[in-house]
Amino acid sequence: MHCRNRIVHAAALAVILLAALVPIGCRSTTASGLPRHIRTVEVHIFQNKTMYNSIEAWVTRDIIDRINADPVVRVTSRNGDALITGEILAVNRRTLRETTINEPGTVLITIDARFSFYDNIERRYIIEDMRVRSTETGMSPGIYEASRDESSEEGQRGAAKQIAAEIVRRTIGMW
């Protein structure tokens, strides 16, 4: 009986060790966590559904710069392993502080966007039509001081950098 218990325990231990060695899932990933077959990403210029000129170019440029900072993945102009597309839905302006003469002093610019991340190799959406807002990162670079003659464009550029960071985090960095 004693010998039989040892055999049962040894068999149970062997099963546990074997289970620990079997990889979970069948997808292979890179250091960034993306599926291994994604090495290049195409980024189409975002569509602009707002009245703010150039905001789509700033967001697209910032996404490209952030992806190119990744040591594994590179942006390509065509035939990428994956594709990021999107649109700027709204640019919002909110006064955080007024001056003593009731004019905007500190102003926050936020951007609402929708984007998709498509795997061209496996022909499937990894992310489809996800909505994001520039303030989701917890940073506030979309703030400008109107009372110090800072321009609204400075707030827009800050918000563009912020939403680009959020989109790249959710695509390249989410894995």
Side-chain angles (χ1 to χ4, degrees):
M1 185 74 174
H2 193 318
C3 184
R4 185 174 183 173
N5 281 343
R6 279 192 170 159
I7 292 172
V8 169
H9 282 87
L13 183 60
V15 167
I16 291 170
L17 289 174
L18 183 60
L21 295 175
V22 173
I24 298 172
C26 60
R27 293 189 184 266
S28 178
T29 61
T30 62
S32 68
L34 281 172
R36 190 171 300 281
H37 64 272
I38 296 179
R39 296 286 188 185
T40 58
V41 177
E42 230 178 300
V43 181
H44 288 186
I45 191 153
F46 275 42
Q47 296 175 10
N48 188 352
K49 304 285 185 183
T50 75
M51 64 179 202
Y52 291 86
N53 295 328
S54 303
I55 198 87
E56 75 283 358
W58 297 335
V59 170
T60 304
R61 177 83 254 157
D62 290 334
I63 289 170
I64 290 168
D65 290 345
R66 287 185 174 276
I67 292 172
N68 280 334
D70 187 289
V72 176
V73 182
R74 285 282 165 248
V75 172
T76 184
S77 59
R78 58 189 167 136
N79 300 325
D81 301 328
L83 170 66
I84 295 175
T85 58
E87 58 188 0
I88 307 303
L89 302 172
V91 176
N92 309 297
R93 182 177 187 266
R94 185 170 59 122
T95 301
L96 300 177
R97 181 186 60 80
E98 291 184 345
T99 65
T100 55
I101 55 173
N102 294 331
E103 291 182 354
T106 304
V107 180
L108 172 65
I109 302 286
T110 60
I111 298 173
D112 293 329
R114 180 174 36 232
F115 74 95
S116 295
F117 189 44
Y118 186 77
D119 184 333
N120 285 327
I121 304 294
E122 294 185 357
R123 299 188 191 292
R124 67 179 182 91
Y125 280 98
I126 297 172
I127 297 171
E128 187 173 14
D129 291 331
M130 179 178 279
R131 290 183 70 112
V132 290
R133 174 169 280 165
S134 59
T135 55
E136 290 179 0
T137 60
M139 305 180 308
S140 298
I143 291 179
Y144 70 96
E145 294 289 335
S147 60
R148 287 193 233 146
D149 293 326
E150 292 178 0
S151 72
S152 173
E153 185 176 300
E154 291 176 71
Q156 292 171 32
R157 285 185 183 264
K161 286 183 183 306
Q162 187 181 44
I163 200 155
E166 183 63 17
I167 290 167
V168 171
R169 183 186 72 77
R170 292 183 185 227
T171 55
I172 306 302
M174 74 180 274
W175 304 91

